[in-house]
């Protein structure tokens, strides 16, 4: 099924529920071509059935060894994606590179910069073809910060993208965040949206968490490790003065920012304000938004974050592409113990307001 490029028609088609999904991923044709041409991981490999598999390597993979997983058509097929969004009432998606893959951490800048530039070009072209349906944030390098500054400038000046995406583990400590200060200086000039998504930065970025904290119950420990990584970055940004010089930069943190962990920390700080010298905990989160993607989609976790941090800090995100359907996240939010007003904020209004703040007003 084809989809017209006219923004008014596209908006009318999407009128359904008007949901705004700020956590979704896509692989561009040139990214597939470049990673398919590699002889060693990370790379794409097509199996005899035609299924493309991603072979990963480096930080974030099992014990540092290569692994592989099949990529469904939702990663590539825009018409199929639009049909799925229409069927589920999603008006608009913010697209980004999945930093989970650890490519920037595993490869030198000479190998990654052409990939990121091509991807950003194609992402911008997609957003121009379907302006009512898609926005994008540019992929930035964690190994060449000067290039990232220039690319963020290009993203705003030439490409029409809203900001950039970086791996969250680069912000697990203030020392790590300081490496990205030039990027945030450029982001302030352009009133950027910076998205912190799962993954490791280049090993030169200090203060990142260990690859594996424990050897037992690996899958369950992984949930805790992921939550810790996001909560650590949230603490860096909320409870230091790092963001103070950048009041016009918005920061989105995936997976509810470590939801239960950061909510528990924030609640304890609020209960012991004298000890921590912080009177208004919620004020610390006014530049931060937390999305409901993947590890943050549980209804109880969403309600907890809304109660402690405020429903106005939470945006709807599905992690679509790795997740083959947006429906489970929608269902969890619908079932969550939230008021109707809180649910509307999370599913629609916060995302619309955030996009509008960056010049993307939805019909």
């Amino acid at each position: 099924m084809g989809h017209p490029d006219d923004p008014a028609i596209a908006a009318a088609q999407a009128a359904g529920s008007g949901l705004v999904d700020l956590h979704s991923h896509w692989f561009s044709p040139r990214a597939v071509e470049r990673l398919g041409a590699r002889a060693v991981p990370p790379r794409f490999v097509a199996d005899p059935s035609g299924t493309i598999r991603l072979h990963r390597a480096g930080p974030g993979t099992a014990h540092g060894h290569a692994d592989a997983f099949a990529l469904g058509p939702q990663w590539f097929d825009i018409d199929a994606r639009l049909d799925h969004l229409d069927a589920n009432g999603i008006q608009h998606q913010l697209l980004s590179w999945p930093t989970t893959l650890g490519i920037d951490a595993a490869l030198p800048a000479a190998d990654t910069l052409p990939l990121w530039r091509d991807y950003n070009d194609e992402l911008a072209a997609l957003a121009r073809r379907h302006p009512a349906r898609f926005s994008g944030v540019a992929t930035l390098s964690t190994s060449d910060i000067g290039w990232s500054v220039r690319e963020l400038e290009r993203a705003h000046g030439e490409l029409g993208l809203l900001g950039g995406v970086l791996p969250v583990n680069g912000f697990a400590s203030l020392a790590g965040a300081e490496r990205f200060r030039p990027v945030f200086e450029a982001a302030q000039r352009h009133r950027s949206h910076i998205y912190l998504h799962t993954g490791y930065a280049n090993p030169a970025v200090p203060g990142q968490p260990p690859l594996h904290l424990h050897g037992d119950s690996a899958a369950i420990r992984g949930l805790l490790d992921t939550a810790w990584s996001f909560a650590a970055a949230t603490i860096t940004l909320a409870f230091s003065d790092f963001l103070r010089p950048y009041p016009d930069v918005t920061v989105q943190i995936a997976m509810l920012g470590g939801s239960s962990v950061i909510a528990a920390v924030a609640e304890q700080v609020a209960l012991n304000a004298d000890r921590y010298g912080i009177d208004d905990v919620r004020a610390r989160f006014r530049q931060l938004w937390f999305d409901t993607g993947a590890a943050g989609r549980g209804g109880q976790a969403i309600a907890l974050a809304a109660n402690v941090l405020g429903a106005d800090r939470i945006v709807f995100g599905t992690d679509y592409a790795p997740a083959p359907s947006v429906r489970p996240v929608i269902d969890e939010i619908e079932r969550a113990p939230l008021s109707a007003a809180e649910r509307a904020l999370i599913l629609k209004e916060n995302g619309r307001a955030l996009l509008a703040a960056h010049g993307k007003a939805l019909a």
Side-chain angles (χ1 to χ4, degrees), residues 200 208-213 225 228:
Y200 282 82
Q208 297 188 71
L211 184 57
H212 297 285
L213 298 181
D225 292 352
W228 185 93

Side-chain angles (χ1 to χ4, degrees), residues 5 19-20 36 67 76 79 108 122 145 167 171 235 269 287 290 353:
D5 293 336
L19 308 186
V20 179
D67 66 352
F76 316 103
D79 283 339
E122 291 184 300
I145 300 301
F171 295 80
I235 290 170
V269 172
Q287 275 180 264
F290 305 93

Side-chain angles (χ1 to χ4, degrees), residues 12 120 181 193 324:
N120 294 339
R181 193 169 289 282
H193 183 59

Side-chain angles (χ1 to χ4, degrees), residues 123-139:
L123 177 59
L126 175 63
R128 286 193 296 270
R129 287 197 304 273
H130 302 281
R133 308 309 300 274
F134 301 119
S135 300
V137 286
T139 305

Side-chain angles (χ1 to χ4, degrees), residues 299-300 303 332-333 335-339 342-343:
Q300 294 296 325
E332 285 291 338
I333 295 172
R335 288 192 293 262
L338 299 163
S339 69
E342 289 172 328
R343 195 169 285 111

Side-chain angles (χ1 to χ4, degrees), residues 10 12 26 76 80 95 100 120 126 139 147 165 183 192 217 275 278 283-284 300 308-310 332 363:
W26 172 70
F76 316 103
L95 303 179
T100 321
N120 294 339
L126 175 63
T139 305
W147 181 91
V165 61
V183 174
S192 295
S217 305
R275 179 188 304 174
I278 296 173
R284 293 282 179 157
Q300 294 296 325
V308 175
L309 306 179
E332 285 291 338

Side-chain angles (χ1 to χ4, degrees), residues 54-241:
L54 174 66
H55 292 246
R56 297 189 294 174
T61 61
H63 306 295
H65 298 304
D67 66 352
F69 61 93
L71 300 171
Q74 71 273 12
W75 281 101
F76 316 103
D77 189 333
I78 291 299
D79 283 339
R81 178 186 288 255
L82 287 169
D83 288 341
H84 184 67
L85 300 187
D86 288 345
N88 288 280
I90 293 182
Q91 178 180 353
H92 196 86
Q93 279 190 327
L94 179 68
L95 303 179
S96 62
W97 177 268
T99 57
T100 321
L101 306 184
I103 290 174
D104 204 52
L107 297 177
D111 290 343
T112 58
L113 299 187
L115 171 62
W116 302 149
R117 186 177 177 91
D118 283 351
Y119 180 81
N120 294 339
D121 286 344
E122 291 184 300
L123 177 59
L126 175 63
R128 286 193 296 270
R129 287 197 304 273
H130 302 281
R133 308 309 300 274
F134 301 119
S135 300
V137 286
T139 305
L140 302 177
S141 171
T142 64
S143 53
D144 188 333
I145 300 301
W147 181 91
S148 289
V149 170
R150 296 188 295 275
E151 188 68 0
L152 187 59
E153 299 274 2
R154 190 175 79 93
H156 286 283
E158 298 179 22
L159 301 182
L161 300 175
L162 305 186
V165 61
L166 290 165
V168 73
N169 287 352
F171 295 80
S173 70
L174 185 57
E178 287 292 342
R179 291 293 184 102
F180 299 100
R181 193 169 289 282
V183 174
F184 276 76
E185 290 170 353
Q188 173 64 18
R189 291 194 293 272
H190 292 280
R191 302 172 64 92
S192 295
H193 183 59
I194 300 296
Y195 185 26
L196 302 186
H197 186 264
T198 318
Y200 282 82
N202 184 274
V205 177
Q208 297 188 71
L211 184 57
H212 297 285
L213 298 181
H214 303 280
D216 63 309
S217 305
I220 307 303
R221 293 285 191 180
L223 293 174
L224 180 61
D225 292 352
T226 297
W228 185 93
S229 297
F230 278 99
T234 300
I235 290 170
T236 296
L237 296 176
F239 295 106
S240 77
D241 291 329

Side-chain angles (χ1 to χ4, degrees), residues 242-313:
F242 178 82
L243 288 177
R244 187 179 296 275
Y246 319 116
D248 299 318
V249 176
T250 58
V251 180
Q252 177 184 337
I253 304 178
M255 316 306 184
L256 281 183
S259 60
S260 298
V261 174
I262 194 59
V265 169
E267 186 175 53
Q268 285 301 308
V269 172
L271 291 172
N272 297 277
D274 291 342
R275 179 188 304 174
Y276 299 109
I278 296 173
D279 293 328
D280 187 352
V281 171
R282 285 195 178 188
R284 293 282 179 157
F285 293 89
R286 285 180 184 150
Q287 275 180 264
L288 305 180
W289 280 259
F290 305 93
D291 75 52
T292 61
R297 73 179 177 94
Q300 294 296 325
I302 293 168
L304 175 62
N307 182 54
V308 175
L309 306 179
D312 61 331
R313 297 298 88 203

